[in-house]
Amino acid sequence: MSTEKIIKQSLTKQIDETTIPDELDQRVRQSFHCYHEKKETVSMKKRLVMMGLVAAIILPTGVYAALNGTSYFADNPKDLNSLVGEEVKQAAAKGLSIPIDQKITDQGITIHFTEVYAEDSKVLLHYRIEQQNGELVPFEFDTTGLNVVGEANGNPVYQDKGLEGTSVLNFIGTKEDTMPFYLTDESGKEVEVGIADHDKPEGVLAFVTHGFKLPQPLTLNIDVNRIGKTKGDWKGQFIVDQSKAKEATEAAK
């Protein structure tokens, strides 16, 4: 038997024997450029930050599956604002997502992007926010000085003295009037898309257009200044791999 066949059989056996974990009951926050702020829901402005380009480290899909289990998009996430449906899971199960290893670290905490799934008009990225030992950071907040009046999807809801309405304290924090994650095209211009995320220690970032094709290449920009209780400076960018976008779009129909 050839070496190629032996490797193929070994990978197939490891994938077939992979135990799929139960789906977590992850509730999601909807952003789509709208966050609940001081007096009403307002559109978030975003700030372009040009950083040094970080090259993606890509592993072959089969090898990644053998080492780390099958695709996160195929196995784990519940639907995120109708963006991670069964068609995405099936396409990812066919190898149409791409494993990556992008990390941005500060204060001993790493935002780790491990997989991208791209269609012509949609990009999904799996992320983990990890401690130095590789485990997920705890889902906790510092509410010192805040008048907490409730919670939304596990996030504290607070009210500022003398102001009407309430605000939600996000787990992944950013400077006022900016977004923690956004896309830019080849010229550095921000791409106007709808955005959704889990705002948890592990989850999915989703970017979707209103029917038009996303430009190629695309760059994901990260601008985060707080994670849970920890303040820091997580900034960077990397090219989004869209090499399987056309095939994934056809498979997801």
Side-chain angles (χ1 to χ4, degrees):
M1 183 181 298
S2 68
T3 301
E4 181 179 355
K5 288 185 178 180
I6 293 173
I7 294 173
K8 183 176 180 180
Q9 288 182 2
S10 176
L11 291 173
T12 301
K13 182 175 184 295
Q14 292 182 61
I15 292 171
D16 290 341
E17 292 177 354
T18 299
T19 301
I20 300 175
D22 294 333
E23 290 185 342
L24 299 177
D25 183 19
Q26 293 178 306
R27 292 170 291 180
V28 301
R29 64 172 174 141
Q30 297 184 3
S31 50
F32 293 95
H33 297 310
C34 297
Y35 285 75
H36 195 155
E37 291 294 339
K38 296 287 191 297
K39 294 185 179 180
E40 59 185 352
T41 301
V42 298
S43 296
M44 289 289 287
K45 297 177 182 178
K46 290 158 284 184
R47 184 163 65 96
L48 178 63
V49 180
M50 296 305 296
M51 304 294 292
L53 181 63
V54 183
I57 302 174
I58 306 299
L59 296 174
T61 302
V63 174
Y64 180 87
L67 295 176
N68 299 285
T70 52
S71 164
Y72 179 87
F73 294 114
D75 292 342
N76 290 291
K78 289 187 176 180
D79 201 352
L80 175 62
N81 299 338
S82 300
L83 299 176
V84 192
E86 287 302 318
E87 71 284 353
V88 169
K89 295 179 182 181
Q90 292 173 12
K94 295 176 182 178
L96 297 180
S97 64
I98 299 172
I100 58 177
D101 186 22
Q102 292 286 349
K103 297 179 180 180
I104 298 174
T105 301
D106 190 33
Q107 306 300 313
I109 294 176
T110 297
I111 304 176
H112 185 189
F113 297 92
T114 72
E115 187 178 1
V116 58
Y117 172 87
E119 295 180 9
D120 286 342
S121 60
K122 177 165 61 180
V123 168
L124 306 175
L125 289 128
H126 170 237
Y127 71 88
R128 290 171 50 87
I129 303 180
E130 301 169 342
Q131 303 176 84
Q132 289 180 316
N133 60 7
E135 295 182 359
L136 294 177
V137 298
F139 185 63
E140 56 188 18
F141 301 81
D142 182 3
T143 58
T144 304
L146 295 179
N147 178 24
V148 177
V149 296
E151 68 172 47
N153 299 330
N155 297 61
V157 175
Y158 64 96
Q159 187 171 32
D160 286 321
K161 185 177 181 180
L163 294 177
E164 297 178 2
T166 58
S167 299
V168 176
L169 184 62
N170 293 329
F171 181 71
I172 303 173
T174 188
K175 298 180 180 67
E176 186 177 358
D177 290 336
T178 64
M179 292 285 287
F181 308 102
Y182 58 95
L183 299 175
T184 52
D185 62 17
E186 189 172 16
S187 69
K189 181 181 178 181
E190 187 173 350
V191 181
E192 293 298 328
V193 293
I195 303 172
D197 63 65
H198 284 102
D199 195 41
K200 303 288 184 182
E202 181 175 22
V204 174
L205 300 179
F207 303 89
V208 61
T209 73
H210 299 289
F212 62 88
K213 287 187 178 181
L214 287 164
Q216 295 192 27
L218 275 177
T219 297
L220 175 69
N221 298 264
I222 300 96
D223 185 8
V224 174
N225 72 348
R226 181 181 51 77
I227 293 174
K229 291 184 174 182
T230 305
K231 293 181 179 180
D233 191 19
W234 294 266
K235 286 185 180 180
Q237 59 180 192
F238 63 88
I239 296 293
V240 176
D241 194 324
Q242 297 167 278
S243 59
K244 295 185 179 182
K246 183 177 181 180
E247 191 177 357
T249 301
E250 290 298 320
K253 288 182 179 178

